[in-house]
Amino acid sequence: IVDEVMIFRRALTLNEVTLLKDATASLKISKPLPISAQTSSGIVAYWPLEEGPSGTTALDADSSQSGTTDLFLGPSAAAEAADPKWTNGRVVGTYALEFDGVDDFLNGGTNPFAFTSAFTVSLWVKTAKTGTAMSLVEKQNPGSSINPEYSLSINTSGGLVFTVNNGANTDTISTPLAYVTDGQWHHVLASYDATRSQSIFLDAFDV
């Protein structure tokens, strides 16, 4: 299950990671984001995932930086087998999306999130599934040798893996333990900066 997905065009600091996790921990956040101007600076997309129980599009709630990029549930706006399902969110009375871990996905089309220097991906995740590699966020570049450009995933051991391919180098880091497959909600954040330094944060702790 995935909730509240955000993308920034810069690497967040440790203090900002904590602020963001705390701001989204207990209730759905809305626009304008109730976090500091410093923390919200550089945000390019925010999908609260509140279009349930029957919506076929996840709406981008932030248009302050580069317009909105809405996501299809599955390949298109039509109802299809690869659509994730609406389910209860982290907070009572809210929604999130449940993926089958096999072929369900959100489709951003030819989205503008092609980063070559610095960016951050943030989302809430809940899963108890193990033994299967599962992508959380991935920027595909079909027909290119740089594919995917970046990805944040869960490996078969339940660890988090963050890979970035900037065209010249491919950098990957991973967590040694199965931190997120305990069936509880966790805030997962991955950042990449201009020096090719990568970080994975779990519940605001650098792992």
Side-chain angles (χ1 to χ4, degrees), residues 69-148:
T69 301
D70 299 335
L71 306 178
F72 292 137
L73 276 61
S76 71
E80 294 151 308
D83 291 2
K85 306 299 186 290
W86 294 106
T87 188
N88 294 329
R90 293 179 299 102
V91 181
V92 175
T94 67
Y95 290 99
L97 280 172
E98 183 173 7
F99 298 76
D100 63 7
V102 179
D103 59 0
D104 288 0
F105 66 99
L106 285 171
N107 179 13
T110 55
N111 69 63
F113 309 123
F115 303 106
T116 58
S117 55
F119 67 98
T120 297
V121 175
S122 168
L123 68 162
W124 284 84
V125 178
K126 178 181 179 182
T127 183
K129 189 168 186 175
T130 58
T132 301
M134 296 173 286
S135 177
L136 298 175
V137 177
E138 185 170 286
K139 173 63 171 69
Q140 290 283 345
N141 192 359
S144 170
S145 60
I146 308 171
N147 191 35

Side-chain angles (χ1 to χ4, degrees), residues 22-40:
D22 290 345
T24 60
S26 59
L27 58 132
K28 287 282 181 175
I29 62 179
S30 60
K31 186 182 177 182
L33 304 178
I35 49 182
S36 70
Q38 178 186 7
T39 303
S40 60

Side-chain angles (χ1 to χ4, degrees), residues 4-22:
E4 292 189 49
V5 182
M6 293 182 178
I7 297 179
F8 296 77
R9 63 171 72 256
R10 65 185 183 87
L12 269 61
T13 67
L14 176 58
N15 182 58
E16 290 172 331
V17 172
T18 302
L19 289 172
L20 183 61
K21 182 261 182 182
D22 290 345

Side-chain angles (χ1 to χ4, degrees), residues 186-200:
H186 293 286
H187 182 246
V188 176
L189 184 145
S191 67
Y192 179 82
D193 69 19
T195 67
R196 293 171 49 201
S197 176
Q198 295 169 275
S199 299
I200 298 175

